[in-house]
Amino acid sequence: MATPDNKTADTDENIFIGKGDETVWLTLALANRHGLVTGATGTGKTVSLQVMAEGFARAGVSVFAADIKGDLSGISEVGEAKDFIVKRAGEMGLTFQPDQFSTVFWDVFGEQGHPVRATVTEMGPLLLSRMLDLNDVQEGVLNVAFRVADENGLALIDMKDIRALLDAIVPDTTKKGADADDPLAPIRKAAQGYGNVTRATVGTIQRQLLVLENQGGTKFFGEPALSLKDFMKTDRDGRGMVNILVADKLMQSPRLYATFLLWMLSELFEELPEAGDLPKPKMVFFFDEAHLLFNDAPKALMDKIEQVVRLIRSKGVGVYFVTQNPIDVPDKVLAQLGNRVQHALRAFTPRDQKAVTAAAQTFRPNPKLDTARVIMELGKGEALVSFLEGGGTPAMVERVMVRPPSARIGPITPEERKVIMDNSPVKGKYDTAIDAESAYEILQKRVAGMAAPADGSDGGTGGGILGQIGSIVGTIFGTNVSRGRMSTGQIIARSVTRSVTNKVVGGAVADLGKSMGGSIGGSVGRALVRGALGGLLRR
C-alpha cells in the first residue's frame, strides 16, 4: 500500500479515514461495494460522512449526499484551524490544511437549492403506483391511463396532467345514448377497451395523489426535469463535485422523499452503462438518516433499494447509508454493505441491546477487541471501522479516531449559500419551471372546442350562413371534423367575418366570393361561391 503524504494522508488508491493501533484506509477500487455509517445521535456520523465525501471529491469522484440537518453544507466553505482540530490532526501525524470543495445545492422545494424535478412520464406507472401504495386493481387502472396517454399523444408532465387524464378515462354516467356530445368519448372508449375502469377506483387513486400533493409533489413533478449527468461532474481542478440535497424539510414528507429516491436510483441505473471493476467509482451516494427512508417506505421501495444496491455496483456507483442503528436497515440490504463505520451505541433499552449485538456480529472479529463492549465505550469522534481489502473480504474491525475534515464543520449561513448558488454551474437551468402544453391543456381544449356552438352563430353577422358554407365545404372536400375540435363552419366564419363586419350579407357576397375563390382555389372554389353560396342567399 502506498505511503500517505503528511498533509492529507490520501493516496491515488486510498482515502485515509482514521488511526488507532492501525491506520485505516478506504480502498477506492472497492468503494462501490457500498457501505454503512451508524451510531447514536451526536457521536460523529456526519463528520465521518464529510471525511469520506472529501476523500472521494479529492480523488475526482462525484458525490451526492442527502443532508438532513444542514451540517454537511459546511463542506463548501474553508475549514477553520480550531484547537481541537489541529490537535487531533497532529496526533495522527497530519498537518491540518484548511480546504473547501466545489458544491451544488439541490432542493425539491427550490428554496435552499436548485429545484429537482421529474415528469410523471419519466416516473412511469410502476414506480408511481408503488410509491402511492396502490393495490393491484388500482395499479392496473394507472397502467391503463399511461397506455391511453401514449396512444393519444398526451404528455404527462405534472400532477394536473395525471389528474386530468384519470378524469378523462372515467365513464361519464351523466350522458346516455350516443357519444356525439362527449369530446372525450374516444379516450373513455379506449380505456374501457383495456378493462373495466370504475369511478371508485379512479377516486381512490386521486385521493392518493392528493396526499402526495400535500407533501409537495406539485413542485417535484414538472419541467425542466433533472438530468443526472449534472450530478456527475468535476470542477476545474479535477475534483469531484459535491451535490447536496437539502433534505431537512423533505424528510417531513416521506412519500415525496421515497418518490425522489426511487426515481433517481432507477434513472441512474438505467442511464449508466456497465462499467465493471473500476479503479475508483464514478459516483458515490450518501443517504443520511436512512431510517427515515426505511421506516415509512412502501415495500416496493425496499425491493427497489435492494435491487439497486445489488446491481448498481457494476455501473460504478457506490451507495452508503447513514443511520443510528444497524437494525434500521433491512437484512437484505445490510448484507450488501461491505464497508462499515460504527460509532457509539447506548444500550439503555432491549432494542438498543439488540442493536449492539447485531452491530458487533456484522464485523469480522478482532482478537484484540471485545467488539460489543467497545461499541458502548466509544467516545465522540471514535469509531469501529472495517473496510473491504484485497480480494474484497472485510478487514478485521479496528478502533480508530476519525480524522478531522479539511472543510468547515457545521452549517453555512444563508449569505454564503446565496453566493454559492449565484456561482453554480447549473444556475438558470432548473430555476424557472416550464409549463408546456401537455395532457391537461390538450384535454381542456377538446372539451372547450366541443362546447362552442357548431353552427357558427358566434361568428357575428352572417355567422349562421357561413356555418352552412362550412358544412358544404366539408362535404365537397371530404372534411371529417373530429369530435372536440372547432367545426369547419366555425373556422371559416371566424376568419371571413373579420372582413365583412358592419356589412350586410348581400353586399359582402362579392368580397366573400373573392376570398373564398382565392383560399379554396381554382374552378371548384369559384363554382362553390357562384352556385352554393348564391343558392343559400336566395333562400
Side-chain angles (χ1 to χ4, degrees):
M1 186 176 293
T3 302
D5 68 56
N6 66 348
K7 291 185 179 181
T8 66
D10 292 342
T11 72
D12 292 338
E13 296 86 21
N14 305 285
I15 300 172
F16 174 52
I17 300 298
K19 188 175 182 180
D21 291 339
E22 300 288 340
T23 301
V24 177
W25 288 278
L26 172 59
T27 303
L28 287 169
L30 299 173
N32 64 339
R33 265 58 169 189
H34 315 310
L36 177 69
V37 181
T38 54
T41 299
T43 56
K45 296 190 302 297
T46 302
V47 171
S48 293
L49 189 161
Q50 183 170 334
V51 167
M52 296 170 72
E54 290 181 1
F56 283 119
R58 286 194 193 97
V61 178
S62 300
V63 175
F64 172 89
D67 187 17
I68 305 300
K69 296 169 291 187
D71 293 345
L72 192 58
S73 61
I75 198 172
S76 63
E77 297 295 329
V78 178
E80 301 170 298
K82 295 182 178 180
D83 291 343
F84 77 93
I85 293 177
V86 174
K87 180 181 178 182
R88 183 183 297 186
E91 291 173 349
M92 297 181 181
L94 300 175
T95 301
F96 178 74
Q97 184 174 340
D99 203 351
Q100 66 183 131
F101 298 84
S102 299
T103 305
V104 179
F105 291 102
W106 303 91
D107 185 358
V108 168
F109 302 99
E111 297 172 355
Q112 301 181 68
H114 300 292
V116 180
R117 301 186 191 90
T119 68
V120 174
T121 296
E122 286 176 331
M123 184 64 57
L126 181 62
L127 291 182
L128 185 58
S129 61
R130 289 186 174 181
M131 181 273 300
L132 294 173
D133 198 23
L134 304 181
N135 61 31
D136 291 341
V137 174
Q138 295 155 1
E139 181 179 341
V141 169
L142 198 60
N143 273 278
V144 168
F146 273 77
R147 181 64 175 271
V148 170
D150 183 58
E151 292 178 348
N152 287 270
L154 301 174
L156 301 177
I157 295 176
D158 49 30
M159 296 292 279
K160 67 179 185 296
D161 288 328
I162 188 63
R163 281 195 173 279
L165 179 62
L166 288 169
D167 287 337
I169 66 174
V170 176
D172 191 349
T173 57
T174 63
K175 297 181 183 294
K176 296 182 179 180
D179 293 326
D181 295 333
D182 184 2
L184 301 181
I187 292 179
R188 303 186 202 279
K189 185 176 181 181
Q192 295 299 321
Y194 292 112
N196 186 27
V197 176
T198 66
R199 182 170 294 277
T201 301
V202 170
T204 301
I205 300 174
Q206 294 278 31
R207 288 191 293 273
Q208 292 297 91
L209 287 172
L210 178 61
V211 173
L212 183 60
E213 287 178 346
N214 289 339
Q215 294 182 349
T218 50
K219 294 186 177 181
F220 175 59
F221 287 105
E223 287 185 328
L226 175 67
S227 171
L228 293 178
K229 293 180 180 178
D230 286 329
F231 282 167
M232 307 179 70
K233 291 183 176 181
T234 56
D235 62 16
R236 65 182 63 183
D237 298 322
R239 290 182 169 191
M241 296 292 295
V242 179
N243 299 275
I244 294 181
L245 176 68
V246 180
D248 51 350
K249 183 177 178 181
L250 181 62
M251 283 303 172
Q252 299 173 21
S253 308
R255 286 194 177 183
L256 183 57
Y257 180 80
T259 304
F260 173 78
L261 184 62
L262 276 171
W263 169 77
M264 184 179 62
L265 292 180
S266 60
E267 285 289 301
L268 188 68
F269 181 75
E270 291 173 6
E271 289 184 12
L272 291 179
E274 289 289 328
D277 292 324
L278 301 174
K280 60 184 179 182
K282 294 180 179 179
M283 189 173 192
V284 172
F285 280 77
F286 291 95
F287 293 102
D288 198 2
E289 301 292 348
H291 65 278
L292 295 176
L293 167 65
F294 295 114
N295 282 352
D296 298 316
K299 180 179 182 298
L301 177 60
M302 302 293 195
D303 295 340
K304 195 67 179 179
I305 293 174
E306 179 190 350
Q307 179 191 31
V308 170
V309 170
R310 283 190 295 106
L311 302 179
I312 206 170
R313 177 193 66 80
S314 62
K315 306 286 182 119
V317 177
V319 181
Y320 287 71
F321 296 101
V322 184
T323 186
Q324 295 187 14
N325 289 322
I327 59 176
D328 292 332
V329 182
D331 290 342
K332 291 183 179 179
V333 175
L334 194 63
Q336 305 295 325
L337 310 181
N339 299 299
R340 306 285 182 88
V341 178
Q342 175 67 62
H343 288 274
L345 291 175
R346 311 304 180 204
F348 298 125
T349 68
R351 184 179 187 274
D352 294 337
Q353 295 170 0
K354 180 180 178 182
V356 170
T357 302
Q361 292 175 345
T362 59
F363 286 107
R364 177 182 169 185
N366 185 337
K368 301 178 182 178
L369 296 175
D370 181 346
T371 306
R373 179 178 58 80
V374 171
I375 288 176
M376 295 184 288
E377 296 176 350
L378 292 171
K380 185 175 182 180
E382 281 191 300
L384 288 173
V385 179
S386 175
F387 293 142
L388 297 178
E389 61 180 5
T393 58
M396 286 193 300
V397 60
E398 295 285 349
R399 181 176 183 172
V400 303
M401 178 66 72
V402 177
R403 64 170 291 180
S406 300
R408 181 188 300 177
I409 300 175
I412 61 176
T413 66
E415 292 75 20
E416 290 170 331
R417 185 184 299 272
K418 184 178 184 303
V419 171
I420 295 173
M421 293 283 293
D422 289 341
N423 293 280
S424 171
V426 294
K427 180 183 178 182
K429 184 173 181 179
Y430 301 104
D431 298 336
T432 303
I434 300 173
D435 189 9
E437 183 176 80
S438 49
Y440 174 80
E441 289 80 11
I442 294 172
L443 293 172
Q444 287 288 313
K445 284 183 178 181
R446 292 189 184 183
V447 173
M450 195 64 181
D455 61 355
S457 59
D458 63 336
T461 305
I465 296 175
L466 292 170
Q468 297 180 56
I469 296 172
S471 299
I472 298 173
V473 173
T475 301
I476 293 175
F477 294 101
T479 304
N480 182 16
V481 182
S482 62
R483 295 188 183 95
R485 289 188 171 88
M486 189 182 298
S487 68
T488 308
Q490 286 178 279
I491 296 172
I492 298 175
R494 293 184 177 183
S495 175
V496 177
T497 51
R498 292 191 182 97
S499 65
V500 299
T501 304
N502 299 325
K503 296 182 181 180
V504 296
V505 175
V509 172
D511 293 338
L512 182 59
K514 292 177 182 179
S515 175
M516 291 293 292
S519 60
I520 298 175
S523 58
V524 175
R526 290 190 290 272
L528 169 65
V529 173
R530 289 196 300 269
L533 180 58
L536 284 171
L537 293 176
R538 286 194 295 270
R539 290 182 182 179

